[in-house]
Amino acid sequence: MTQTPSPSADDIQGLFDRIAPVYDDFNQQLSFGLHQVWKQMAVDWSQAAAGQIGLDVCCGSGDLALLLARRLGQTGQVYGLDFAPAQLAIAQQKATQQIGLAPVQWIEGDALQLPFDDAGFDVVTMAYGLRNLIDMPQGLRELQRVLKPGGRAAVLDFHRPASAWLRQFQQWYLENVVVTAAQRFDLTAEYAYISPSLDRFPTGQQQVQLAETAGFADVTFYPVAAGLMGILVMTK
């Protein structure tokens, strides 16, 4: 079987700009609303606390950044970074509709070259971004670089479950539910990318090894949703 070529950074950026208008609705419908629970779990495992400075990398339409901002409170500060301006525009609009949050600064930027000084953040989060980086080890090194000593990062993403029948279910769901739903909006190709991107994505244990190589001192991978999702928690 010929492996699908990995997309370029420009390909991925264009994809997330194109799907921006339906991104939130799709996430809500296709996860039965559970994506918000998983994102809250990432915030919980990050041990974010009031008054801290937080960064959400690959923030997309802002859901996780806003959950982080709620945890950090009005005495904290959050930066949400993404390279897709259409997603950032939606995030900024959503932020204006909420109160009681830490101030959020939305930044268009590259997760592989974060525009921040070393050791500037207490906590870093990421949801469904690591899998799409064209250089995952570099992305992890950047997360490690911008964290303060003792700071924590929590990364949520799809995962290949250990169970053979769950892997089969995951493949069936992606091909027959996700892609079929995307057809209604003429976005078949944009959502068909998920399955091959997951095939290339390191397993949980491999992610732990990559994070340790990137310089993190303490790394744990937590399977979520019977292993269909996972959260990588790292301490600098």
Side-chain angles (χ1 to χ4, degrees):
M1 181 181 296
T2 302
Q3 187 176 32
T4 304
S6 299
S8 69
D10 287 342
D11 291 336
I12 297 170
Q13 181 180 33
L15 183 154
F16 279 95
D17 272 331
R18 289 193 299 275
I19 67 176
V22 300
Y23 186 67
D24 284 342
D25 286 343
F26 265 39
N27 284 345
Q28 186 71 14
Q29 294 173 24
L30 297 175
S31 74
F32 304 100
L34 291 173
H35 72 107
Q36 292 285 1
V37 175
W38 302 327
K39 290 169 182 173
Q40 185 61 59
M41 290 172 70
V43 172
D44 291 344
W45 268 322
S46 76
Q47 295 186 357
Q52 291 183 332
I53 303 174
L55 169 65
D56 186 39
V57 180
C58 303
C59 67
S61 62
D63 279 354
L64 183 51
L66 293 173
L67 288 173
L68 184 60
R70 186 166 298 282
R71 176 63 61 86
L72 299 187
Q74 293 176 313
T75 59
Q77 173 70 54
V78 172
Y79 295 81
L81 178 137
D82 202 280
F83 68 171
Q87 295 277 0
L88 287 171
I90 293 172
Q92 189 165 14
Q93 182 180 25
K94 287 161 69 172
T96 62
Q97 301 167 357
Q98 300 195 33
I99 60 174
L101 309 180
V104 184
Q105 184 173 343
W106 305 103
I107 298 172
E108 184 177 342
D110 185 353
L112 301 182
Q113 294 181 308
L114 294 173
F116 305 109
D117 293 335
D118 296 354
F121 294 97
D122 300 290
V123 58
V124 176
T125 57
M126 179 189 289
Y128 305 110
L130 184 64
R131 178 173 41 88
N132 294 308
L133 299 184
I134 61 171
D135 188 341
M136 294 180 202
Q138 173 61 17
L140 289 169
R141 286 192 294 269
E142 281 292 274
L143 299 187
Q144 195 271 353
R145 179 183 67 80
V146 301
L147 269 174
K148 296 178 181 179
R152 287 166 69 95
V155 176
L156 165 68
D157 216 311
F158 282 97
H159 184 250
R160 295 193 302 274
S163 165
W165 76 265
L166 276 174
R167 288 197 301 272
Q168 292 174 353
F169 168 77
Q170 185 181 60
Q171 186 69 28
W172 174 86
Y173 189 82
L174 291 172
E175 293 178 355
N176 295 280
V177 178
V178 174
V179 173
T180 298
Q183 288 175 344
R184 299 199 304 268
F185 300 91
D186 197 26
L187 292 171
T188 302
E190 285 78 0
Y191 276 86
Y193 92 98
I194 297 176
S195 184
S197 74
L198 185 54
D199 290 339
R200 293 187 292 265
F201 196 40
T203 64
Q205 186 53 45
Q206 290 169 334
Q207 290 175 44
V208 169
Q209 293 169 355
L210 287 171
E212 290 173 343
T213 301
F216 284 98
D218 184 29
V219 186
T220 305
F221 179 83
Y222 296 96
V224 176
L228 296 170
M229 305 286 163
I231 300 177
L232 182 68
V233 181
M234 303 166 285
T235 303
K236 182 172 179 177

